Amino acid sequence: MIECNGGVNMKIAFIQMKVVSDKNLNLYRAKRLLIEAAENDSDIIVLPEMFICPYNNDYFLQYGEVINGNSQTIKMLSNIAKERKVYIIGGSIPEIDNGKLYNTSVIFDEYGEIIGKHRKVHLFDINIKNKIKYFESDVLSPGDKATIVDTKFGKIGVCICYDIRFPELVKKMANEGANMIIAPSAFNMVTGPAHWEIIARSRALDNQIYFGMCSPSRNLESSYTAYGHSIIADPWGRVINELDENEGILYSEIDFSLIKKVREELPILKQKRNELY
Amino acid sequence: MIECNGGVNMKIAFIQMKVVSDKNLNLYRAKRLLIEAAENDSDIIVLPEMFICPYNNDYFLQYGEVINGNSQTIKMLSNIAKERKVYIIGGSIPEIDNGKLYNTSVIFDEYGEIIGKHRKVHLFDINIKNKIKYFESDVLSPGDKATIVDTKFGKIGVCICYDIRFPELVKKMANEGANMIIAPSAFNMVTGPAHWEIIARSRALDNQIYFGMCSPSRNLESSYTAYGHSIIADPWGRVINELDENEGILYSEIDFSLIKKVREELPILKQKRNELY
């Protein structure tokens, strides 16, 4: 779907799926929802952070995969991308590499080829008394680069959850030409209500790009309760679409010409005084 | 007012005054409201952007002042600061210097001495078809530095209106130790509803500081209609106080210990990966 005269350029789908403790059930559910999204004419389909396993340090090694053509998850995602001719931003999975674990998003083009891989750069370490304590860095290793993929819809940046709290990373991707940044994410019931929407909107506004976050649905039986509310904001900082906490697919039609329009109207990117900062 | 054990450290007042075309009336009104705020135990009092003249390129030269001890506005602000033993962040005025015009905020300590002067660094140029067109750069010259003042409450950063759209400037001030950033501002009826609150909240959240903006009240008879809604956000990104569009004084009690608490709970400033950006 490309109509580049200020209309719709692309349709993106965020799969806000329920993640449970059974890996095969998660993969089955992801596959079913990917097919549903593809059948609804999506061009790019996004899965949430850690969609194959509970978000819990104790599970990452057990559910983890070496990323190659024999990996169970990679095979499934690649096949769907190829069969359905869709791009897939494959949420994230625990990646095993040389005895280390990473929180990794694998991105596929419409031929099922891997076109990018983002290892979460900023590990989520938080300690709010009586509310939430979580140290991802206890078991995971961080990635060491920003990730931008080339698609037929232009450059798209990919980062993961806590990465979005770092405006420098987002700015770097936007400066390098990303018109849209997608973050498979899983905020919780403390940080979600407080910061989820404002981060989506402000990263979009400050960089005059589209910015989206795809979450698992809220599963109250899980040790880590995701906030849900998959969301996408436009270059004017507006929420153009958001889910509630339940399982569902968020479809958004994207008009990339809005980026040019906003950048002409409010030329903040040109007006930066980089010599002063 | 200093009680440094996690309680209130300081009381700040934002004067959201009605700005009219009569300079003397503006100065009279500012003086009356400054005295009212001082009598209500404020430690720091803030005036809005261009509080002595209409926000209009045609008026800046006529209303402008050379900033020295003989300047009408500087004398008034200095006297109030000294008599009432308050810090004053003097909104902004058109400053004339060497044949150039600047949009300048002058900051006074409680002895009436000038402790800082910020010349707006980013000039407001906007052109949204059928909505708003304004090119500050047609008549004003930009400043060339970030401004941080030392007070007995710690370092405070000062910038002006459009400056707040540049996260790099805000980050620079925060990195240099500003616990609070204050921006005399005058968003309009297009950008105000769209971006005012989100900028206050996101700058506070991303830097884990207090961030406040003081606006003129909404004057529908003016050629440029200010949004009003003077606002202050805390280091967790919450709006702690906000006015509506009418004239009034916004009083906020500030607890600087919250900065330390938030930075310990969510250590994003320590976790930046500066080598990657």
Side-chain angles (χ1 to χ4, degrees):
Chain A
M1 185 185 295
I2 308 188
E3 306 166 22
C4 279
N5 301 311
V8 174
N9 307 133
M10 190 263 283
K11 185 171 176 182
I12 191 165
F14 291 177
I15 293 183
Q16 180 168 297
M17 61 177 271
K18 183 175 179 182
V19 176
V20 296
S21 56
D22 181 333
K23 180 173 173 177
N24 287 322
L25 184 52
N26 289 327
L27 284 169
Y28 170 78
R29 197 189 301 258
K31 185 176 176 179
R32 185 175 54 73
L33 290 164
L34 284 164
I35 290 170
E36 179 181 332
E39 287 179 346
N40 282 308
D41 298 323
S42 305
D43 297 296
I44 299 180
I45 311 178
V46 184
L47 287 163
E49 186 182 20
M50 291 294 181
F51 71 97
I52 62 170
C53 70
Y55 191 83
N56 185 316
N57 282 351
D58 296 341
Y59 293 90
F60 295 152
L61 184 60
Q62 177 191 341
Y63 288 67
E65 300 183 22
V66 176
I67 292 177
N68 60 37
N70 296 317
S71 149
Q72 181 183 14
T73 301
I74 301 305
K75 270 198 290 194
M76 184 275 279
L77 297 177
S78 173
N79 285 339
I80 299 274
K82 189 177 173 181
E83 287 166 12
R84 303 288 171 162
K85 295 185 177 46
V86 291
Y87 287 84
I88 295 177
I89 298 174
S92 79
I93 64 169
E95 176 193 6
I96 301 169
D97 185 34
N98 271 321
K100 287 187 176 175
L101 272 168
Y102 300 91
N103 184 339
T104 302
S105 183
V106 185
I107 305 118
F108 303 84
D109 68 13
E110 57 196 335
Y111 306 102
E113 299 295 324
I114 294 178
I115 55 170
K117 192 174 90 166
H118 180 70
R119 288 174 170 170
K120 192 175 189 174
V121 163
H122 302 90
L123 299 177
F124 178 52
D125 290 344
I126 190 171
N127 186 6
I128 301 180
K129 202 177 167 186
N130 301 327
K131 288 190 177 166
I132 184 165
K133 186 173 178 178
Y134 197 97
F135 291 94
E136 215 176 30
S137 63
D138 283 349
V139 302
L140 295 179
S141 296
D144 58 6
K145 64 171 189 61
T147 302
I148 298 172
V149 295
D150 277 307
T151 75
K152 68 179 182 188
F153 309 105
K155 289 181 193 291
I156 296 179
V158 176
C159 60
I160 300 176
C161 199
Y162 199 53
D163 284 336
I164 66 177
R165 286 199 180 265
F166 299 83
E168 299 87 349
L169 179 68
V170 174
K171 179 184 168 181
K172 179 186 167 74
M173 292 191 278
N175 281 353
E176 291 178 6
N179 286 327
M180 169 181 268
I181 292 175
I182 299 296
S185 299
F187 271 34
N188 55 65
M189 296 304 293
V190 176
T191 59
H195 301 151
W196 180 258
E197 180 185 314
I198 189 177
I199 291 177
R201 292 184 57 206
S202 63
R203 298 292 176 259
L205 174 64
D206 287 340
N207 297 286
Q208 303 185 314
I209 56 171
Y210 286 93
F211 196 94
M213 286 119 74
C214 178
S215 171
S217 69
R218 194 174 300 169
N219 177 359
L220 296 174
E221 294 155 19
S222 172
S223 65
Y224 179 96
T225 307
Y227 177 55
H229 284 266
S230 293
I231 191 169
I232 185 160
D234 78 6
W236 188 245
R238 286 173 291 220
V239 173
I240 55 172
N241 236 331
E242 183 175 356
L243 289 178
D244 60 14
E245 72 276 19
N246 298 308
E247 188 168 79
I249 303 179
L250 185 73
Y251 295 102
S252 305
E253 297 190 335
I254 303 301
D255 171 10
F256 285 114
S257 72
L258 184 60
I259 292 175
K260 185 164 176 279
K261 180 168 177 283
V262 167
R263 288 179 180 185
E264 283 171 0
E265 290 177 340
L266 193 71
I268 53 174
L269 303 182
K270 282 186 192 164
Q271 291 171 315
K272 287 190 192 290
R273 304 279 310 274
N274 290 313
E275 74 282 14
L276 303 185
Y277 315 131
Chain B
M1 187 185 293
I2 310 188
E3 306 166 22
C4 278
N5 301 311
V8 174
N9 307 133
M10 189 262 282
K11 185 171 176 181
I12 191 164
F14 291 177
I15 293 183
Q16 179 168 298
M17 61 177 270
K18 183 174 179 183
V19 176
V20 295
S21 56
D22 180 332
K23 179 172 173 178
N24 286 322
L25 184 53
N26 288 327
L27 283 170
Y28 171 79
R29 198 190 301 259
K31 184 175 176 182
R32 185 174 55 72
L33 291 164
L34 283 165
I35 290 170
E36 179 181 331
E39 286 178 348
N40 282 308
D41 298 323
S42 305
D43 297 296
I44 299 180
I45 311 177
V46 184
L47 287 163
E49 186 182 20
M50 291 292 182
F51 72 97
I52 61 170
C53 70
Y55 192 82
N56 184 317
N57 283 350
D58 297 340
Y59 292 90
F60 295 153
L61 184 60
Q62 177 191 342
Y63 287 67
E65 300 183 22
V66 176
I67 292 177
N68 60 35
N70 296 318
S71 148
Q72 183 184 14
T73 302
I74 300 305
K75 270 198 290 191
M76 185 275 280
L77 297 178
S78 172
N79 285 340
I80 300 275
K82 188 176 173 182
E83 286 166 15
R84 302 288 170 159
K85 295 184 175 50
V86 291
Y87 288 85
I88 295 177
I89 298 174
S92 79
I93 64 169
E95 177 193 4
I96 300 169
D97 185 33
N98 272 320
K100 287 187 175 174
L101 272 168
Y102 300 90
N103 184 339
T104 303
S105 184
V106 185
I107 305 119
F108 302 84
D109 69 12
E110 57 196 335
Y111 306 104
E113 299 294 324
I114 293 177
I115 54 171
K117 191 173 91 168
H118 181 69
R119 289 175 170 170
K120 193 174 188 176
V121 163
H122 304 89
L123 298 178
F124 178 51
D125 291 344
I126 188 170
N127 186 6
I128 301 180
K129 202 176 166 185
N130 301 328
K131 288 188 176 168
I132 184 165
K133 185 173 179 177
Y134 197 98
F135 291 94
E136 215 176 31
S137 63
D138 283 348
V139 300
L140 295 179
S141 297
D144 59 6
K145 64 171 189 60
T147 302
I148 299 171
V149 294
D150 277 306
T151 75
K152 67 181 184 185
F153 308 105
K155 289 180 193 295
I156 296 179
V158 176
C159 59
I160 299 175
C161 199
Y162 199 53
D163 285 336
I164 66 177
R165 287 200 180 264
F166 299 83
E168 298 89 347
L169 179 68
V170 173
K171 180 184 167 182
K172 179 184 166 78
M173 292 191 277
N175 281 354
E176 292 178 5
N179 286 327
M180 169 181 269
I181 292 174
I182 299 297
S185 300
F187 272 33
N188 55 66
M189 297 303 295
V190 177
T191 59
H195 301 150
W196 180 257
E197 180 184 314
I198 190 178
I199 292 177
R201 292 184 57 207
S202 63
R203 300 291 175 260
L205 174 64
D206 287 340
N207 296 286
Q208 304 185 315
I209 56 171
Y210 285 92
F211 197 93
M213 287 119 74
C214 177
S215 171
S217 69
R218 192 174 300 168
N219 177 359
L220 296 174
E221 294 154 22
S222 173
S223 65
Y224 179 97
T225 306
Y227 178 55
H229 283 267
S230 294
I231 192 170
I232 185 162
D234 78 6
W236 188 245
R238 287 174 289 220
V239 174
I240 55 171
N241 237 331
E242 183 175 356
L243 288 178
D244 60 15
E245 71 276 18
N246 298 308
E247 187 168 80
I249 304 179
L250 185 73
Y251 295 102
S252 304
E253 296 189 335
I254 303 300
D255 170 10
F256 285 114
S257 72
L258 183 60
I259 293 175
K260 185 166 178 281
K261 180 169 177 282
V262 167
R263 290 179 180 185
E264 283 172 0
E265 289 176 341
L266 193 72
I268 53 173
L269 302 183
K270 282 186 193 164
Q271 290 171 315
K272 287 190 192 290
R273 303 278 310 274
N274 289 314
E275 74 281 14
L276 303 184
Y277 314 132

